Amino acid sequence: MTKILMVCLGNICRSPLAEGILRSKLPYEDYVIDSAGTSSYHIGSNPDSRSIAVANKYGINISRLMGRQFTINDFDAFDIIYAMDSSNYNNILHLARNEKDKEKVKMILNEVYPNQNYDVPDPYYGGTNGFENVYKMLDEACDIIAEKLQ
């Protein structure tokens, strides 16, 4: 069973969207997909209502997901850790204990644009269109991830 973790800052916008999108593309019995934030701002919170709405628009229900903070134990629990942006990527790497941990961490948009290290923009202050744009970026990346894994 392959275990994948999606990580952003607060775990209420980008990473729960990425979790829900990838879950919708892979058989649940073969994959564990989760999400976390590098900050502790939203532990125990549901995703932002705008993330929930854009996911619902595409037939994905993320309303019951709960925010949690990334921990060192996630390096042991997951095979692949996708960061949504360079700031979170660096925060995750800062917690890595060794090269094996570091090798698990990837920038999610590198799946679409190899080695470009593009950020998925944080839509929190960007209005409704920001969430739609982020959904489309993550959907494209998750299509490629799912294709590679199956």
Side-chain angles (χ1 to χ4, degrees), residues 4-6 11 13-25 32-36 47 60 62 65-66 84 108 138 142:
I4 302 164
L5 183 64
M6 304 295 191
N11 193 213
C13 295
R14 295 170 289 176
S15 58
L17 266 177
E19 175 185 349
I21 293 167
L22 190 58
R23 277 187 181 182
S24 75
K25 297 176 185 299
V32 171
I33 302 156
D34 195 6
S35 61
I60 299 170
I62 62 168
L65 299 181
M66 298 289 277
M84 299 294 122
I108 194 163
L138 292 173
C142 288

Side-chain angles (χ1 to χ4, degrees), residues 8 10-18 47-48 50-51 62 122-124 131 134 138:
C8 68
N11 193 213
I12 60 166
C13 295
R14 295 170 289 176
S15 58
L17 266 177
D48 185 287
R50 296 165 292 177
S51 284
I62 62 168
D122 189 340
Y124 191 78
F131 285 83
V134 163
L138 292 173

Side-chain angles (χ1 to χ4, degrees), residues 34-99:
D34 195 6
S35 61
T38 57
S39 75
S40 60
Y41 306 142
H42 301 288
I43 293 172
S45 297
N46 294 108
D48 185 287
S49 60
R50 296 165 292 177
S51 284
I52 292 170
V54 77
N56 281 339
K57 177 180 173 181
Y58 294 99
I60 299 170
N61 183 357
I62 62 168
S63 65
R64 295 184 191 268
L65 299 181
M66 298 289 277
R68 72 173 187 86
Q69 189 171 13
F70 181 87
T71 70
I72 290 173
N73 294 334
D74 288 321
F75 288 114
D76 297 324
F78 292 93
D79 304 304
I80 306 167
I81 300 168
Y82 282 109
M84 299 294 122
D85 63 37
S86 55
S87 175
N88 290 295
Y89 178 85
N90 290 328
N91 288 338
I92 297 165
L93 287 184
H94 183 70
L95 296 174
R97 302 161 296 190
N98 52 48
E99 284 304 310

